[in-house]
């Protein structure tokens, strides 16, 4: 099962992303801030991160670059989400090694397919994740109260 971590400081945008992904059948986790993202990714066996570009603590493109440089997260799919121009978003995505980009204007149509492609691309490059958490069919949320899990 694809396990997605949505990171966006805007509550309305985060709720919209989570709703789209839950309807698509993904196991969805969320954070309002990128702080602690790596811990959540490792602990909960996250397959793909969908993250906003503009956040106050660290921009999503910088976080994506850090995640991509972490050898332990080689099989993590990354999808950048933003309301900025598609050309700018595409350039940022290529620069940081993201697996996909989604304009917030096309969130409802493009997010779930982008997450599926990101998961497939990473799986093809690195093989299936070895984490026991990612093999679990029924997620058991745990950890800091700053992350939350959405059942499907």
């Amino acid at each position: 099962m694809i396990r997605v971590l949505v990171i966006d400081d805007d509550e309305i945008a985060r709720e919209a992303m989570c709703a789209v992904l839950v309807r698509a059948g993904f196991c969805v986790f969320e954070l309002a801030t990128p702080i602690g993202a790596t811990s959540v990714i490792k602990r909960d066996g996250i397959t793909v991160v969908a993250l906003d570009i503009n956040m106050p603590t660290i921009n999503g493109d910088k976080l994506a670059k850090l995640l991509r440089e972490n050898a332990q997260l080689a099989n993590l799919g990354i999808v950048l989400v933003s309301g900025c121009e598609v050309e700018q978003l595409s350039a940022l995505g290529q620069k940081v090694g993201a697996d996909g980009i989604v304009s917030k204007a096309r969130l409802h149509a493009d997010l779930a397919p982008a997450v599926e492609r990101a998961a497939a691309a990473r799986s093809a490059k690195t093989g299936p994740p070895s984490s026991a958490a990612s093999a679990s069919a029924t997620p058991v949320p745990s950890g800091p109260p700053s992350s939350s899990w959405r059942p499907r």
Side-chain angles (χ1 to χ4, degrees), residues 3-7 27 29-31 37 40-41 46 48-51:
R3 300 165 70 84
V4 185
L5 175 60
V6 172
I7 306 173
C27 180
F29 298 77
E30 65 181 276
L31 287 173
V40 173
I41 291 165
I46 301 299
V48 177
V49 174
L51 61 136

Side-chain angles (χ1 to χ4, degrees), residues 28-42:
V28 179
F29 298 77
E30 65 181 276
L31 287 173
T33 173
I35 305 298
T38 304
S39 298
V40 173
I41 291 165
K42 290 178 181 179

